[in-house]
Amino acid sequence: MSNSDHQNPSAVDGNTFVAMCLARAGVDRMFGVVGIPVTSLANRAVALGTRFIAFHNEQSAGYAASAYGYLTGRPGVLLTVSGPGCVHGLAGLSNATVNTWPMVLISGSCDQKDLGRGDFQELDQIEAVKPFSKYSAKATDITKIPSCVFSVLDWAMSGRPGGCYLDLPTDVLHQTISESEAQKLINDAENCRIKEVNLKPIVKHSEIGKAAALLRKAERPLIVFGKGAAISRAENALKKLVESTGIPFLPTPMGKGLLPDNHELAATAARSLAIGKCDVALVVGARLNWLLHFGEPPKWSKDVKFILVDVAEEEIELRKPCLGLVGDATKVVEMLHKEIKDDPFCLGKSHPWVEALAKKSKENVSKMEAQLAKDVVPFNFMTPMRIIRDAILQVGSPAPVVVSEGANTMDVGRSVLVQMEPRTRLDAGTWGTMGVGLGYCIAAAVACPERLVVAVEGDSGFGFSAMEVETLVRYQLPVVVIVFNNGGVYGGDRRNPEEITGPYKEDPAPTSFVPGASYHLLIEAFGGKGYLVGTPDELRSALSESFSARKPAVINVTIDPYAGAESGRLQHKN
Protein backbone atom coordinates (compact mmCIF):
# COMPACT_ATOMS: atom_id res chain seq x y z
CA MET A 1 0.00 0.00 0.00
CA SER A 2 1.36 3.45 -0.86
CA ASN A 3 2.02 6.12 1.76
CA SER A 4 -0.48 8.37 0.00
CA ASP A 5 -3.22 5.89 0.91
CA HIS A 6 -2.51 6.46 4.60
CA GLN A 7 -3.05 10.19 4.21
CA ASN A 8 -6.10 9.79 1.98
CA PRO A 9 -9.25 10.46 4.04
CA SER A 10 -11.33 8.22 1.76
CA ALA A 11 -8.91 5.30 2.21
CA VAL A 12 -10.43 2.22 3.80
CA ASP A 13 -8.33 0.15 6.23
CA GLY A 14 -8.76 -3.55 6.92
CA ASN A 15 -10.88 -2.98 10.03
CA THR A 16 -13.38 -0.79 8.17
CA PHE A 17 -13.34 -3.16 5.20
CA VAL A 18 -14.29 -6.16 7.36
CA ALA A 19 -17.08 -4.10 8.96
CA MET A 20 -18.35 -3.09 5.48
CA CYS A 21 -18.43 -6.75 4.40
CA LEU A 22 -20.27 -7.84 7.56
CA ALA A 23 -22.83 -5.08 7.05
CA ARG A 24 -23.31 -6.07 3.38
CA ALA A 25 -23.83 -9.68 4.46
CA GLY A 26 -26.56 -8.60 6.90
CA VAL A 27 -24.68 -9.32 10.13
CA ASP A 28 -26.59 -7.14 12.57
CA ARG A 29 -25.30 -8.55 15.88
CA MET A 30 -21.83 -9.49 17.08
CA PHE A 31 -20.61 -10.79 20.43
CA GLY A 32 -17.09 -10.67 21.80
CA VAL A 33 -14.25 -9.28 23.86
CA VAL A 34 -12.15 -6.55 22.25
CA GLY A 35 -8.43 -5.77 22.50
CA ILE A 36 -5.38 -5.70 20.24
CA PRO A 37 -5.80 -6.06 17.24
CA VAL A 38 -9.63 -5.99 16.88
CA THR A 39 -10.89 -3.01 18.95
CA SER A 40 -11.11 -0.77 15.86
CA LEU A 41 -12.96 -3.52 13.98
CA ALA A 42 -15.66 -3.61 16.69
CA ASN A 43 -15.99 0.19 16.67
CA ARG A 44 -16.22 0.36 12.87
CA ALA A 45 -18.83 -2.43 12.83
CA VAL A 46 -20.96 -0.51 15.36
CA ALA A 47 -20.69 2.66 13.25
CA LEU A 48 -21.95 0.68 10.23
CA GLY A 49 -25.00 -0.70 12.05
CA THR A 50 -23.88 -3.93 13.74
CA ARG A 51 -24.81 -4.08 17.42
CA PHE A 52 -21.78 -5.25 19.40
CA ILE A 53 -22.41 -6.97 22.73
CA ALA A 54 -19.19 -6.80 24.75
CA PHE A 55 -18.59 -9.58 27.29
CA HIS A 56 -16.07 -10.21 30.06
CA ASN A 57 -15.08 -13.62 28.79
CA GLU A 58 -14.79 -15.09 25.29
CA GLN A 59 -16.30 -18.40 26.41
CA SER A 60 -19.59 -16.77 27.38
CA ALA A 61 -19.54 -14.56 24.28
CA GLY A 62 -19.00 -17.69 22.18
CA TYR A 63 -21.90 -19.50 23.82
CA ALA A 64 -24.01 -16.42 23.07
CA ALA A 65 -22.97 -16.46 19.40
CA SER A 66 -23.78 -20.18 19.12
CA ALA A 67 -27.26 -19.78 20.66
CA TYR A 68 -27.93 -16.67 18.56
CA GLY A 69 -27.30 -18.81 15.46
CA TYR A 70 -29.85 -21.34 16.69
CA LEU A 71 -32.52 -18.81 17.66
CA THR A 72 -32.30 -16.75 14.47
CA GLY A 73 -31.24 -19.36 11.90
CA ARG A 74 -28.41 -17.01 10.82
CA PRO A 75 -24.75 -17.33 11.83
CA GLY A 76 -23.96 -15.91 15.26
CA VAL A 77 -20.66 -14.00 15.10
CA LEU A 78 -17.98 -13.98 17.81
CA LEU A 79 -15.06 -11.54 17.70
CA THR A 80 -11.90 -12.24 19.73
CA VAL A 81 -8.29 -11.14 19.98
CA SER A 82 -5.45 -13.41 18.88
CA GLY A 83 -3.87 -16.35 20.75
CA PRO A 84 -5.64 -16.89 24.07
CA GLY A 85 -8.70 -14.98 22.82
CA CYS A 86 -9.07 -17.43 19.95
CA VAL A 87 -8.49 -20.40 22.28
CA HIS A 88 -11.22 -19.20 24.67
CA GLY A 89 -13.49 -18.70 21.66
CA LEU A 90 -13.14 -22.38 20.77
CA ALA A 91 -15.60 -23.21 23.56
CA GLY A 92 -18.42 -21.48 21.70
CA LEU A 93 -17.25 -22.65 18.27
CA SER A 94 -17.12 -26.31 19.31
CA ASN A 95 -20.48 -25.99 21.08
CA ALA A 96 -22.02 -24.63 17.86
CA THR A 97 -20.52 -27.39 15.75
CA VAL A 98 -21.60 -30.22 18.07
CA ASN A 99 -25.13 -28.76 18.34
CA THR A 100 -25.13 -28.09 14.54
CA TRP A 101 -25.81 -24.36 14.94
CA PRO A 102 -24.46 -21.75 12.49
CA MET A 103 -21.68 -19.63 13.98
CA VAL A 104 -18.55 -17.76 12.85
CA LEU A 105 -15.53 -17.09 15.06
CA ILE A 106 -13.49 -14.10 13.86
CA SER A 107 -10.10 -13.68 15.53
CA GLY A 108 -7.29 -11.25 15.00
CA SER A 109 -3.89 -12.90 14.57
CA CYS A 110 -0.27 -11.80 14.70
CA ASP A 111 1.57 -9.95 11.95
CA GLN A 112 2.30 -12.44 9.11
CA LYS A 113 5.94 -11.45 8.75
CA ASP A 114 6.53 -12.21 12.46
CA LEU A 115 4.90 -15.66 12.45
CA GLY A 116 7.25 -18.21 14.01
CA ARG A 117 9.37 -15.55 15.73
CA GLY A 118 7.43 -15.40 19.01
CA ASP A 119 5.19 -12.44 18.18
CA PHE A 120 2.62 -11.07 20.67
CA GLN A 121 -0.09 -13.73 21.27
CA GLU A 122 1.23 -15.80 18.39
CA LEU A 123 -0.62 -19.01 17.53
CA ASP A 124 -1.28 -20.99 14.35
CA GLN A 125 -4.99 -20.36 14.73
CA ILE A 126 -6.04 -22.06 11.48
CA GLU A 127 -4.50 -25.28 12.85
CA ALA A 128 -5.94 -24.73 16.34
CA VAL A 129 -9.56 -24.44 15.16
CA LYS A 130 -9.46 -27.49 12.82
CA PRO A 131 -11.19 -30.03 15.10
CA PHE A 132 -13.98 -27.56 15.92
CA SER A 133 -14.84 -25.87 12.61
CA LYS A 134 -16.26 -27.12 9.34
CA TYR A 135 -14.45 -24.45 7.31
CA SER A 136 -11.71 -21.85 7.89
CA ALA A 137 -10.43 -18.88 5.90
CA LYS A 138 -7.45 -16.56 6.40
CA ALA A 139 -7.39 -13.11 4.80
CA THR A 140 -3.71 -12.94 3.78
CA ASP A 141 -4.20 -9.53 2.11
CA ILE A 142 -6.79 -6.75 2.38
CA THR A 143 -8.13 -7.59 -1.10
CA LYS A 144 -9.06 -11.11 0.11
CA ILE A 145 -11.30 -9.85 2.95
CA PRO A 146 -14.68 -9.85 1.11
CA SER A 147 -14.38 -13.39 -0.27
CA CYS A 148 -13.19 -14.66 3.13
CA VAL A 149 -16.03 -12.97 5.05
CA PHE A 150 -18.74 -14.19 2.67
CA SER A 151 -17.34 -17.73 2.47
CA VAL A 152 -17.29 -18.33 6.26
CA LEU A 153 -20.84 -16.99 6.61
CA ASP A 154 -22.06 -19.17 3.71
CA TRP A 155 -20.32 -22.31 4.93
CA ALA A 156 -21.73 -21.89 8.45
CA MET A 157 -25.20 -22.30 6.89
CA SER A 158 -24.40 -24.92 4.25
CA GLY A 159 -25.76 -28.46 4.61
CA ARG A 160 -25.67 -29.25 8.29
CA PRO A 161 -25.03 -25.88 10.00
CA GLY A 162 -21.95 -25.50 12.18
CA GLY A 163 -19.01 -23.38 13.26
CA CYS A 164 -16.62 -21.64 10.83
CA TYR A 165 -13.50 -19.56 11.45
CA LEU A 166 -12.08 -16.35 9.93
CA ASP A 167 -8.48 -15.33 10.64
CA LEU A 168 -7.53 -11.64 10.32
CA PRO A 169 -3.77 -10.94 10.60
CA THR A 170 -2.79 -7.63 12.25
CA ASP A 171 -0.90 -6.41 9.17
CA VAL A 172 -3.97 -6.99 6.95
CA LEU A 173 -6.18 -4.98 9.34
CA HIS A 174 -3.75 -2.06 8.95
CA GLN A 175 -3.51 -2.21 5.14
CA THR A 176 -5.55 0.34 3.15
CA ILE A 177 -7.31 0.62 -0.22
CA SER A 178 -9.42 3.32 -1.81
CA GLU A 179 -13.14 3.38 -1.09
CA SER A 180 -14.02 2.80 -4.75
CA GLU A 181 -11.78 -0.28 -4.89
CA ALA A 182 -13.32 -1.53 -1.63
CA GLN A 183 -16.85 -1.28 -3.06
CA LYS A 184 -15.79 -3.01 -6.29
CA LEU A 185 -14.16 -5.89 -4.37
CA ILE A 186 -17.28 -6.33 -2.22
CA ASN A 187 -19.55 -6.35 -5.30
CA ASP A 188 -17.30 -8.83 -7.13
CA ALA A 189 -17.09 -11.14 -4.11
CA GLU A 190 -20.84 -11.04 -3.58
CA ASN A 191 -21.48 -11.94 -7.22
CA CYS A 192 -19.17 -14.94 -6.83
CA ARG A 193 -20.79 -16.25 -3.64
CA ILE A 194 -21.42 -19.98 -3.85
CA LYS A 195 -25.18 -19.88 -3.92
CA GLU A 196 -25.43 -23.66 -4.20
CA VAL A 197 -23.67 -23.98 -0.83
CA ASN A 198 -27.00 -23.02 0.77
CA LEU A 199 -29.11 -25.44 -1.23
CA LYS A 200 -30.49 -28.29 0.85
CA PRO A 201 -30.84 -31.68 -0.86
CA ILE A 202 -34.31 -32.52 -2.17
CA VAL A 203 -35.57 -35.95 -1.16
CA LYS A 204 -36.98 -38.24 -3.88
CA HIS A 205 -40.74 -38.64 -4.08
CA SER A 206 -40.39 -42.45 -4.09
CA GLU A 207 -38.61 -42.26 -0.71
CA ILE A 208 -41.45 -40.15 0.72
CA GLY A 209 -43.87 -42.84 -0.47
CA LYS A 210 -41.88 -45.54 1.36
CA ALA A 211 -41.89 -43.47 4.56
CA ALA A 212 -45.66 -42.91 4.34
CA ALA A 213 -46.22 -46.65 3.79
CA LEU A 214 -44.10 -47.55 6.84
CA LEU A 215 -46.07 -45.14 9.05
CA ARG A 216 -49.40 -46.31 7.61
CA LYS A 217 -48.65 -49.98 8.34
CA ALA A 218 -47.16 -49.35 11.79
CA GLU A 219 -49.05 -50.57 14.85
CA ARG A 220 -47.12 -48.34 17.27
CA PRO A 221 -45.68 -45.37 15.33
CA LEU A 222 -43.86 -42.50 17.02
CA ILE A 223 -42.60 -39.13 15.76
CA VAL A 224 -39.41 -37.89 17.45
CA PHE A 225 -38.10 -34.41 16.75
CA GLY A 226 -35.16 -32.35 17.94
CA LYS A 227 -33.40 -29.03 17.59
CA GLY A 228 -32.64 -29.70 13.91
CA ALA A 229 -36.40 -29.47 13.36
CA ALA A 230 -36.46 -26.35 15.54
CA ILE A 231 -33.77 -24.51 13.57
CA SER A 232 -35.59 -25.48 10.36
CA ARG A 233 -38.80 -23.88 11.72
CA ALA A 234 -40.65 -27.19 11.23
CA GLU A 235 -43.30 -26.58 13.92
CA ASN A 236 -46.26 -25.93 11.59
CA ALA A 237 -45.41 -28.85 9.32
CA LEU A 238 -45.05 -31.18 12.33
CA LYS A 239 -48.34 -29.97 13.82
CA LYS A 240 -50.18 -30.80 10.59
CA LEU A 241 -48.56 -34.23 10.33
CA VAL A 242 -49.16 -35.16 13.98
CA GLU A 243 -52.75 -33.95 14.07
CA SER A 244 -53.79 -35.41 10.72
CA THR A 245 -52.30 -38.86 11.47
CA GLY A 246 -52.88 -38.99 15.25
CA ILE A 247 -49.32 -40.31 15.73
CA PRO A 248 -47.91 -39.58 19.22
CA PHE A 249 -44.73 -37.50 19.40
CA LEU A 250 -41.66 -37.21 21.59
CA PRO A 251 -39.43 -34.11 21.55
CA THR A 252 -35.79 -34.14 22.58
CA PRO A 253 -35.11 -31.67 25.44
CA MET A 254 -34.55 -28.70 23.13
CA GLY A 255 -37.23 -29.86 20.70
CA LYS A 256 -39.74 -29.15 23.48
CA GLY A 257 -42.24 -26.47 22.47
CA LEU A 258 -42.28 -27.17 18.71
CA LEU A 259 -45.62 -28.66 19.65
CA PRO A 260 -46.95 -27.63 23.07
CA ASP A 261 -45.86 -29.88 25.95
CA ASN A 262 -49.51 -30.22 27.02
CA HIS A 263 -50.64 -31.52 23.59
CA GLU A 264 -52.82 -34.64 23.92
CA LEU A 265 -50.44 -36.63 21.67
CA ALA A 266 -47.30 -35.63 23.61
CA ALA A 267 -45.56 -38.78 24.88
CA THR A 268 -42.88 -37.02 26.97
CA ALA A 269 -44.34 -38.25 30.27
CA ALA A 270 -44.39 -41.81 28.90
CA ARG A 271 -40.95 -41.65 27.28
CA SER A 272 -39.72 -45.11 28.28
CA LEU A 273 -42.88 -46.82 27.02
CA ALA A 274 -42.90 -44.75 23.81
CA ILE A 275 -39.34 -45.56 22.76
CA GLY A 276 -39.38 -49.08 24.21
CA LYS A 277 -42.47 -50.29 22.35
CA CYS A 278 -42.74 -48.24 19.16
CA ASP A 279 -42.34 -50.27 15.96
CA VAL A 280 -41.74 -47.37 13.53
CA ALA A 281 -40.05 -44.13 14.61
CA LEU A 282 -39.95 -41.10 12.34
CA VAL A 283 -36.96 -39.11 13.69
CA VAL A 284 -36.88 -35.51 12.42
CA GLY A 285 -33.84 -33.30 13.01
CA ALA A 286 -32.55 -35.37 15.92
CA ARG A 287 -29.53 -37.65 16.00
CA LEU A 288 -29.60 -41.19 17.34
CA ASN A 289 -26.84 -40.32 19.82
CA TRP A 290 -26.63 -40.66 23.62
CA LEU A 291 -29.68 -38.43 24.09
CA LEU A 292 -31.74 -41.05 22.24
CA HIS A 293 -29.79 -44.06 23.58
CA PHE A 294 -28.19 -44.55 20.11
CA GLY A 295 -31.48 -46.03 18.86
CA GLU A 296 -30.44 -49.39 20.30
CA PRO A 297 -31.81 -52.02 22.72
CA PRO A 298 -32.54 -52.29 25.58
CA LYS A 299 -34.13 -48.80 25.55
CA TRP A 300 -35.51 -49.30 22.05
CA SER A 301 -37.10 -52.47 20.68
CA LYS A 302 -34.67 -54.54 18.63
CA ASP A 303 -37.24 -54.61 15.81
CA VAL A 304 -37.93 -50.87 15.59
CA LYS A 305 -37.75 -49.38 12.09
CA PHE A 306 -36.23 -45.89 11.99
CA ILE A 307 -37.11 -43.32 9.33
CA LEU A 308 -34.36 -40.75 9.81
CA VAL A 309 -34.81 -37.21 8.43
CA ASP A 310 -31.56 -35.26 8.44
CA VAL A 311 -29.99 -32.54 6.34
CA ALA A 312 -26.65 -34.41 6.37
CA GLU A 313 -26.23 -37.55 4.31
CA GLU A 314 -23.25 -38.60 6.46
CA GLU A 315 -25.52 -38.73 9.54
CA ILE A 316 -27.83 -41.19 7.79
CA GLU A 317 -24.86 -43.27 6.61
CA LEU A 318 -23.55 -43.35 10.19
CA ARG A 319 -26.84 -44.49 11.76
CA LYS A 320 -27.94 -46.88 8.97
CA PRO A 321 -31.70 -46.52 9.57
CA CYS A 322 -34.37 -48.57 7.81
CA LEU A 323 -35.02 -45.49 5.65
CA GLY A 324 -33.02 -42.27 5.40
CA LEU A 325 -34.50 -39.04 4.03
CA VAL A 326 -31.81 -36.45 3.30
CA GLY A 327 -33.26 -32.96 3.30
CA ASP A 328 -34.48 -29.93 5.20
CA ALA A 329 -36.76 -31.00 8.07
CA THR A 330 -39.62 -28.64 7.18
CA LYS A 331 -39.67 -29.56 3.49
CA VAL A 332 -39.49 -33.31 4.15
CA VAL A 333 -42.30 -33.22 6.75
CA GLU A 334 -44.44 -31.11 4.39
CA MET A 335 -43.88 -33.64 1.57
CA LEU A 336 -44.75 -36.49 3.90
CA HIS A 337 -47.95 -34.77 5.03
CA LYS A 338 -48.95 -34.13 1.40
CA GLU A 339 -48.31 -37.78 0.49
CA ILE A 340 -50.40 -39.05 3.43
CA LYS A 341 -53.20 -36.52 2.78
CA ASP A 342 -53.89 -38.18 -0.59
CA ASP A 343 -54.63 -41.48 1.21
CA PRO A 344 -55.33 -40.37 4.78
CA PHE A 345 -55.19 -42.42 7.98
CA CYS A 346 -55.63 -41.38 11.59
CA LEU A 347 -55.01 -43.48 14.68
CA GLY A 348 -57.73 -41.86 16.81
CA LYS A 349 -57.92 -41.57 20.60
CA SER A 350 -59.22 -45.13 21.08
CA HIS A 351 -56.30 -46.67 19.15
CA PRO A 352 -54.60 -49.13 21.55
CA TRP A 353 -51.17 -47.47 21.15
CA VAL A 354 -52.48 -43.94 21.63
CA GLU A 355 -54.56 -45.11 24.57
CA ALA A 356 -51.61 -46.92 26.22
CA LEU A 357 -49.36 -43.86 25.98
CA ALA A 358 -52.11 -41.53 27.23
CA LYS A 359 -52.76 -43.83 30.20
CA LYS A 360 -49.05 -44.08 31.10
CA SER A 361 -48.59 -40.31 30.69
CA LYS A 362 -51.53 -39.64 32.99
CA GLU A 363 -50.15 -42.02 35.65
CA ASN A 364 -46.67 -40.49 35.55
CA VAL A 365 -47.96 -36.90 35.54
CA SER A 366 -50.20 -37.70 38.53
CA LYS A 367 -47.22 -39.13 40.44
CA MET A 368 -45.10 -36.08 39.65
CA GLU A 369 -47.90 -33.62 40.44
CA ALA A 370 -48.37 -35.31 43.83
CA GLN A 371 -44.68 -34.64 44.56
CA LEU A 372 -44.91 -31.10 43.18
CA ALA A 373 -48.01 -30.28 45.23
CA LYS A 374 -46.12 -30.52 48.53
CA ASP A 375 -44.49 -27.33 49.83
CA VAL A 376 -41.19 -28.71 51.12
CA VAL A 377 -39.13 -26.25 53.22
CA PRO A 378 -36.10 -26.11 53.34
CA PHE A 379 -36.63 -26.33 49.59
CA ASN A 380 -36.04 -29.52 47.64
CA PHE A 381 -35.79 -29.12 43.85
CA MET A 382 -39.46 -29.83 43.14
CA THR A 383 -41.17 -27.11 45.21
CA PRO A 384 -39.37 -24.07 43.74
CA MET A 385 -39.49 -25.59 40.24
CA ARG A 386 -43.30 -25.86 40.46
CA ILE A 387 -43.57 -22.22 41.57
CA ILE A 388 -41.26 -21.14 38.71
CA ARG A 389 -43.25 -23.24 36.19
CA ASP A 390 -46.51 -21.59 37.24
CA ALA A 391 -45.01 -18.08 37.12
CA ILE A 392 -43.62 -18.67 33.59
CA LEU A 393 -46.98 -20.03 32.37
CA GLN A 394 -48.74 -16.96 33.79
CA VAL A 395 -46.68 -14.72 31.50
CA GLY A 396 -48.61 -16.18 28.53
CA SER A 397 -47.51 -15.37 24.96
CA PRO A 398 -44.93 -14.50 23.80
CA ALA A 399 -43.65 -17.11 26.22
CA PRO A 400 -40.34 -16.47 28.01
CA VAL A 401 -37.19 -18.16 26.74
CA VAL A 402 -36.11 -20.59 29.45
CA VAL A 403 -32.37 -21.18 29.83
CA SER A 404 -31.52 -24.18 31.98
CA GLU A 405 -28.22 -25.63 33.14
CA GLY A 406 -26.94 -27.57 36.10
CA ALA A 407 -27.10 -31.18 37.22
CA ASN A 408 -30.24 -31.72 39.28
CA THR A 409 -31.60 -28.27 38.36
CA MET A 410 -31.60 -29.06 34.64
CA ASP A 411 -32.82 -32.65 35.08
CA VAL A 412 -35.77 -31.64 37.27
CA GLY A 413 -36.47 -28.59 35.09
CA ARG A 414 -36.64 -30.76 31.97
CA SER A 415 -39.50 -32.74 33.53
CA VAL A 416 -41.32 -29.92 35.33
CA LEU A 417 -41.01 -26.76 33.22
CA VAL A 418 -43.52 -26.55 30.37
CA GLN A 419 -42.64 -25.33 26.88
CA MET A 420 -45.60 -24.07 24.85
CA GLU A 421 -43.80 -22.27 22.01
CA PRO A 422 -40.91 -23.21 19.67
CA ARG A 423 -37.27 -22.42 20.52
CA THR A 424 -38.08 -21.29 24.05
CA ARG A 425 -35.80 -23.80 25.79
CA LEU A 426 -32.00 -23.59 25.78
CA ASP A 427 -30.06 -26.12 27.85
CA ALA A 428 -26.73 -27.95 27.97
CA GLY A 429 -27.51 -29.53 24.59
CA THR A 430 -25.82 -32.36 22.71
CA TRP A 431 -22.46 -31.87 24.41
CA GLY A 432 -23.90 -31.43 27.91
CA THR A 433 -22.00 -28.12 28.15
CA MET A 434 -21.99 -26.42 31.55
CA GLY A 435 -21.31 -22.68 31.67
CA VAL A 436 -23.63 -21.75 28.80
CA GLY A 437 -26.20 -20.01 31.01
CA LEU A 438 -25.46 -16.28 30.94
CA GLY A 439 -24.23 -16.37 27.33
CA TYR A 440 -27.46 -18.06 26.24
CA CYS A 441 -29.51 -15.53 28.27
CA ILE A 442 -27.83 -12.61 26.54
CA ALA A 443 -28.23 -14.22 23.09
CA ALA A 444 -31.93 -14.87 23.75
CA ALA A 445 -32.53 -11.31 24.97
CA VAL A 446 -30.81 -9.91 21.86
CA ALA A 447 -32.40 -12.37 19.38
CA CYS A 448 -35.93 -12.29 20.88
CA PRO A 449 -36.40 -8.77 22.31
CA GLU A 450 -40.15 -9.33 22.68
CA ARG A 451 -39.60 -12.20 25.15
CA LEU A 452 -38.64 -12.22 28.81
CA VAL A 453 -35.65 -14.51 29.46
CA VAL A 454 -35.66 -16.72 32.55
CA ALA A 455 -32.57 -18.74 33.52
CA VAL A 456 -32.98 -21.63 35.94
CA GLU A 457 -29.43 -22.40 37.00
CA GLY A 458 -27.63 -24.63 39.44
CA ASP A 459 -25.09 -22.76 41.55
CA SER A 460 -22.28 -24.65 39.84
CA GLY A 461 -23.54 -23.83 36.32
CA PHE A 462 -24.08 -20.19 37.30
CA GLY A 463 -20.52 -19.89 38.61
CA PHE A 464 -18.99 -20.51 35.18
CA SER A 465 -20.30 -17.21 33.81
CA ALA A 466 -21.63 -15.27 36.83
CA MET A 467 -19.59 -12.14 36.03
CA GLU A 468 -21.73 -11.65 32.93
CA VAL A 469 -24.52 -10.36 35.20
CA GLU A 470 -22.69 -7.04 34.76
CA THR A 471 -23.29 -7.40 30.99
CA LEU A 472 -27.01 -7.88 31.69
CA VAL A 473 -27.08 -4.65 33.68
CA ARG A 474 -24.91 -2.70 31.22
CA TYR A 475 -27.27 -3.46 28.32
CA GLN A 476 -30.39 -3.48 30.55
CA LEU A 477 -31.55 -6.84 29.20
CA PRO A 478 -34.84 -8.35 30.45
CA VAL A 479 -33.22 -11.40 32.07
CA VAL A 480 -34.14 -12.97 35.41
CA VAL A 481 -31.52 -15.47 36.63
CA ILE A 482 -32.76 -17.95 39.24
CA VAL A 483 -29.92 -19.73 41.08
CA PHE A 484 -30.67 -22.99 42.90
CA ASN A 485 -28.14 -22.64 45.69
CA ASN A 486 -27.39 -25.97 47.36
CA GLY A 487 -23.78 -25.24 48.22
CA GLY A 488 -21.96 -27.17 45.53
CA VAL A 489 -21.85 -29.47 42.52
CA TYR A 490 -24.78 -31.87 43.15
CA GLY A 491 -25.04 -30.30 46.63
CA GLY A 492 -21.96 -29.84 48.79
CA ASP A 493 -19.95 -32.58 50.50
CA ARG A 494 -21.08 -36.00 49.25
CA ARG A 495 -18.11 -38.04 50.54
CA ASN A 496 -18.42 -41.15 52.67
CA PRO A 497 -16.52 -40.96 56.01
CA GLU A 498 -13.89 -43.41 54.66
CA GLU A 499 -13.19 -41.05 51.73
CA ILE A 500 -12.26 -38.20 54.07
CA THR A 501 -8.61 -39.06 54.61
CA GLY A 502 -5.11 -38.02 53.54
CA PRO A 503 -3.07 -34.87 54.19
CA TYR A 504 -5.73 -32.48 52.78
CA LYS A 505 -8.78 -34.00 54.44
CA GLU A 506 -9.56 -30.65 56.09
CA ASP A 507 -10.06 -29.03 52.67
CA PRO A 508 -13.62 -28.63 51.41
CA ALA A 509 -14.85 -31.52 49.24
CA PRO A 510 -14.20 -31.15 45.48
CA THR A 511 -17.97 -30.72 45.08
CA SER A 512 -18.35 -28.04 47.80
CA PHE A 513 -18.85 -24.27 47.54
CA VAL A 514 -19.08 -21.68 50.31
CA PRO A 515 -22.37 -22.51 52.09
CA GLY A 516 -25.07 -19.85 51.89
CA ALA A 517 -23.23 -17.87 49.17
CA SER A 518 -24.89 -14.49 48.50
CA TYR A 519 -25.20 -14.79 44.71
CA HIS A 520 -27.95 -12.16 44.69
CA LEU A 521 -25.46 -9.52 45.87
CA LEU A 522 -23.33 -10.02 42.73
CA ILE A 523 -25.84 -8.24 40.51
CA GLU A 524 -26.48 -5.54 43.12
CA ALA A 525 -22.79 -4.59 42.85
CA PHE A 526 -23.60 -3.37 39.31
CA GLY A 527 -26.98 -1.79 40.02
CA GLY A 528 -29.23 -4.77 39.22
CA LYS A 529 -31.82 -6.27 41.55
CA GLY A 530 -31.06 -9.21 43.84
CA TYR A 531 -33.43 -11.39 45.87
CA LEU A 532 -32.68 -14.00 48.57
CA VAL A 533 -35.55 -16.48 48.97
CA GLY A 534 -36.14 -19.60 51.02
CA THR A 535 -39.94 -19.98 51.24
CA PRO A 536 -42.73 -20.34 48.66
CA ASP A 537 -44.13 -16.87 49.40
CA GLU A 538 -40.71 -15.21 49.11
CA LEU A 539 -40.10 -16.95 45.77
CA ARG A 540 -43.54 -16.06 44.37
CA SER A 541 -43.06 -12.43 45.37
CA ALA A 542 -39.57 -12.23 43.80
CA LEU A 543 -40.79 -13.84 40.56
CA SER A 544 -43.82 -11.59 40.32
CA GLU A 545 -41.79 -8.42 40.90
CA SER A 546 -38.86 -9.32 38.63
CA PHE A 547 -41.04 -10.65 35.78
CA SER A 548 -43.11 -7.45 35.81
CA ALA A 549 -40.05 -5.19 35.91
CA ARG A 550 -38.35 -6.96 32.94
CA LYS A 551 -35.01 -5.72 34.25
CA PRO A 552 -31.83 -7.67 35.10
CA ALA A 553 -32.28 -9.63 38.35
CA VAL A 554 -30.79 -12.57 40.25
CA ILE A 555 -33.00 -14.65 42.56
CA ASN A 556 -30.88 -16.69 44.99
CA VAL A 557 -32.99 -19.71 46.01
CA THR A 558 -31.74 -21.56 49.09
CA ILE A 559 -31.99 -25.33 48.47
CA ASP A 560 -31.42 -28.10 51.00
CA PRO A 561 -27.82 -29.27 50.28
CA TYR A 562 -28.94 -32.90 50.69
CA ALA A 563 -31.80 -32.67 48.17
CA GLY A 564 -29.83 -33.50 45.00
CA ALA A 565 -27.99 -36.48 43.51
CA GLU A 566 -25.07 -37.00 41.12
CA SER A 567 -26.28 -36.64 37.55
CA GLY A 568 -24.90 -36.67 34.02
CA ARG A 569 -26.92 -38.71 31.57
CA LEU A 570 -30.61 -38.42 30.87
CA GLN A 571 -32.35 -40.26 33.68
CA HIS A 572 -35.90 -41.32 32.83
CA LYS A 573 -37.68 -43.51 35.32
CA ASN A 574 -41.09 -43.30 33.65
Side-chain angles (χ1 to χ4, degrees), residues 340-356:
I340 288 169
K341 205 169 64 171
D342 293 342
D343 183 9
F345 69 92
C346 186
L347 302 191
K349 286 182 190 175
S350 60
H351 188 283
W353 174 234
V354 177
E355 222 169 36

Side-chain angles (χ1 to χ4, degrees), residues 123-134:
L123 173 69
D124 184 347
Q125 289 162 205
I126 293 285
E127 199 59 37
V129 303
K130 262 187 185 164
F132 311 110
S133 62
K134 54 188 284 197

Side-chain angles (χ1 to χ4, degrees), residues 306-319:
F306 285 108
I307 305 165
L308 195 53
V309 179
D310 201 285
V311 78
E313 192 168 356
E314 60 269 26
E315 178 65 24
I316 285 166
E317 285 168 3
L318 173 69
R319 308 295 174 185

